[in-house]
Structures are given as structure tokens and as C-alpha cells.
Amino acid sequence: MEDNFIPVIGLEVHVELATKSKMFCRCPADHFAKKPNTQVCPVCLGLPGALPYTNKEAIFDTIKFGLAFGCQINLLSKFDRKHYFYPDLPKGYQISQYDLPLCYSGKWILESGKEIRIRRVHLEEDTAKLVHQKVNGESVSLIDYNRSGVALMEMVTEPDFDNPTEVSEFLRNAQLIVRYLGISTADMEKGSMRLEANISVKRKSDPKEFLPNYKVELKNINSFRFLEKAIAAEIKRQTELLASGRKPIQETRGYNEETDLTFSQRTKEEAQDYRYFPEPDIPPLRFEVEEIERIRTQIPELPRQKKERFVSDFGIPVNYAEILVSDLEKASYFEESVRLGKEHGISPKFLADLIVNKKMQDAFPEPAGLVKKAVELMKRDFASYEETKNAVLEVITEEKKAVADFQAGNGRVLGYLIGMVQKKLKGRGEIKTIEELLKENL
């Protein structure tokens, strides 16, 4: 019965921008681990009569991110008031964007070739932070306003995802692009990147464009792995409800990793419940086409383009390129090593192999150190493949207990076997080749 249903998943991705000051005032934006309520002013405390003014850097960073995802840019944009009551929202409303966001109608192509549509990327202010703790033996909730008013960028996708794996791939790319652009650390442990998923389930027999008339929002997700498990659990819950003839209610839910179940938090609000209207204290934002194009020229080479260039220009395997571009610092380290290695006739693939498989960047903080080591390795008299293979077979024959332990699942014994092969070869064997031959023959 469950095979008759398919998931419909959309995402909301919140990213705290790494601006020096907050979105609508001059208070410092770096709030992590700071003494509570020490980075506040009348504006971010929401005191009566305080007037906000916009952070230009945050606006340009948001446009830059939208362009990286192929979005259109609204040449006329504005801020709106989003009304709701919660203790972490001192004004009783949040300054956000509603019908005229900065960016709209973008897209991202997954590795499978599937297109994910980006509905919008907009800018708003972050809320304060609730701290739950015990005071004199009593459970209380305290409020730290240091985070209140920090520039918060939100990306909203269309419900184009079918499974948790697609969601994870997309989000990892989004995080990487944010870091390449230098607009945020996107550190999920520190809360500078926060994830929400909207999940529904429909029958396979429904038309492709059909969307269920409900959705469940998963909130408070702090890792990609956690999100994958939460989505899978919620899909299972909804599928079982629909299979039994019941319809899931529209609500916000959390996820308990210990029970592998989602749990209800509150009923989900609709847009009209927020009573949006234009923010009267902030003038509309107007942009010229030339201004947007100038921002576009500031976008650096992004991970996907860098990966394709590493493969085509340097001749390295795709999996090597993926590892190298997964961190901008590592990618830059590799490129500088290639530049220096060219003078010594060292191939980019040889350098990539050292970085990816032997983590030479940890041992040699400077690319020059890696190149020096590479030159030494190239001068060594390595054992031939046949010589290495013979030594491997001899060790497998001689070290029966170690071999039995490895085959019983003790992976740690592999290092011992490699060492015994190297002993036979008097240190002339290539570790990677020895390891591959051992695994192949065990």
C-alpha cells in the first residue's frame, strides 16, 4: 500500500549573514557566545519610537546569493511587517519581505539532471534567542536579545524534492556556495544556517502538477544527517496515515532522534495570519540594471565550475575534484601547489593524490612544502607493480592470523599487513598500491 504514495518536499533555508552590524541598526552582528544582552540598542530591542535603517552590505550579499542560483532580481523591492506574537520578537512583528522579495524565480540542477526551482530569496531580521534553564530549581525561559535584528537571508524552494537524498545534496551545495561567496560561515552548530522542510505526500496516480492541500513543516533542524532522518520519519508517518484513510493535519513538527519519530509542536499558520503590510519606516529599494550587473561580476568561481575546471584543465578524477572543492581553502591550496609544482614537472594529479589520499596539507601548511615532498617522492626508487604484488601475496600466505582477523571484520589489522609488505620491499612500496592489492586479494 505504501508504494502507492510519493513525497512532495520543499525547503526553507535561513542563513545569518556575516555583516559587521545588524540589519537595521549599528549593533555588532557577531553574537555567538557573547554575554547575553550586551549587543543591543533601542532599534533591535524594539523600543517605541526607534527607527530602523537598512544594511546595504546585507542587501548586496542577498542579491549575490540569488544570482548564484540563477534568480531574477526585483528592481523594485520593499520590506514588510510580518505580525505574530512570540517572546523572542520584542516588537510583535518581524521586518521581512513578502510580495516583492529581492530575488525570485531561480533554479538549481542536481547531479541527476533534475531541476529544483527557487521560489524566492529574501532578507529579514533574526529574532532573539530563548534560553531554557533552571533558576533556583525552577525551569524558566530567559531571552538573549544579542541575536535580535541580525541580517537573516531566507531561500524558499518549490516542492520539487522527492526524497531526503536530493534534499541533502541541494543543501550541501547551498552551504558551500554561501561560503565561497564569503557572505556567511553557514555553521549549523552555531545556528548561522538553519533548515526547515515542508513535507506532504500524494498518490502516484495524481497528476504531476497536483499538490496536496496540506503541508507539515519540520523545524529546528541542526544538521544534514538529522534532516534526512527527520524527513524519512515524517514521510513514513504521513504515508501510514493516508494509507489508513486519514489526512495529516497542517502543523509544525519536531524530530526526536532517539525514537526516530516526529512530534507535534503547533498548528501551522497561513500567510494571512501574519497580516503582512509594507514597513512604513523603510523606503522601497530601487536598483538599476547596471548595479545588478556590477554585483554579478563580484561572484567568484563557484564550486561546480571549479570542479569542472579541475577535471578538464588538470586531468584529475571527478571524485578528487569533488573533495578538493568541498572547501575553498583546500581548493586554493591545491591550485597554488599546482602552480609551484609546474616548475618541477610535477603533475596536478600527483599533487591531488597526495592531498586527497595522504592529507599532505596537514603535514605541510605551505604549498611549497607539499611540492618539496612531491619532488622527493618522485625521485624515490619505487618497487614495480609486479614486485609489490608478489610481496603482498607472500605476506598473505605468511600472516595467516592477521589475515583471518581482517576477514573477520577487524579493519585495524590492515595497517599491520601494509607494514609487513613494506618490510619485504624495504620501504619502496607505494602505500596506496599495497592497500589496493591487499584488499583485492583478501
Side-chain angles (χ1 to χ4, degrees), residues 113-250:
K114 180 178 178 179
E115 180 180 302
I116 301 298
R117 295 168 296 161
I118 312 298
R119 182 182 301 169
R120 57 191 285 134
V121 180
H122 67 260
L123 192 53
E124 59 191 21
E125 59 178 339
D126 209 344
T127 60
K129 183 179 181 181
L130 287 175
V131 181
H132 307 288
Q133 62 185 51
K134 286 190 177 294
V135 176
N136 298 325
E138 183 181 354
S139 296
V140 298
S141 294
L142 307 176
I143 305 180
D144 177 7
Y145 285 103
N146 284 346
R147 192 179 72 180
S148 180
V150 168
L152 190 66
M153 177 179 73
E154 180 177 356
M155 169 197 274
V156 181
T157 77
E158 298 293 351
D160 291 341
F161 299 95
D162 295 332
N163 57 68
T165 304
E166 289 181 350
V167 168
S168 183
E169 179 193 331
F170 176 86
L171 289 172
R172 289 177 193 278
N173 277 285
Q175 183 186 58
L176 200 52
I177 286 173
V178 164
R179 290 173 174 173
Y180 266 62
L181 293 173
I183 61 177
S184 175
T185 61
D187 189 331
M188 296 179 68
E189 290 184 358
K190 294 181 178 179
S192 55
M193 181 174 178
R194 308 196 290 270
L195 314 174
E196 297 171 10
N198 293 302
I199 303 167
S200 309
V201 173
K202 69 177 185 178
R203 295 183 183 277
K204 282 186 177 178
S205 57
D206 289 327
K208 184 179 179 182
E209 65 277 5
F210 171 81
L211 292 178
N213 59 357
Y214 77 93
K215 62 182 177 181
V216 172
E217 183 177 48
L218 289 177
K219 291 182 74 76
N220 300 320
I221 307 297
N222 58 11
S223 76
F224 299 129
R225 182 188 63 83
F226 192 87
L227 181 63
E228 283 194 54
K229 294 179 72 173
I231 290 174
E234 180 58 21
I235 290 171
K236 183 174 183 292
R237 184 189 75 88
Q238 291 187 29
T239 299
E240 289 173 350
L241 283 173
L242 289 166
S244 65
R246 293 175 291 167
K247 175 188 168 184
I249 64 171
Q250 180 146 314

Side-chain angles (χ1 to χ4, degrees), residues 35-52:
K35 186 178 179 181
N37 299 311
T38 57
Q39 301 184 169
V40 295
C41 71
V43 174
C44 54
L45 283 174
L47 299 183
L51 291 175

Side-chain angles (χ1 to χ4, degrees), residues 180 324 326-335 365:
Y180 266 62
L324 291 170
S326 65
D327 180 270
L328 182 56
E329 189 175 336
K330 185 181 291 185
S332 300
Y333 178 91
F334 169 66
E335 289 206 79

Side-chain angles (χ1 to χ4, degrees), residues 393-410:
L393 294 175
E394 287 176 18
V395 167
I396 290 174
T397 302
E398 295 167 2
E399 301 291 338
K400 289 185 172 56
K401 183 178 184 308
V403 168
D405 288 347
F406 179 81
Q407 291 174 335
N410 183 0

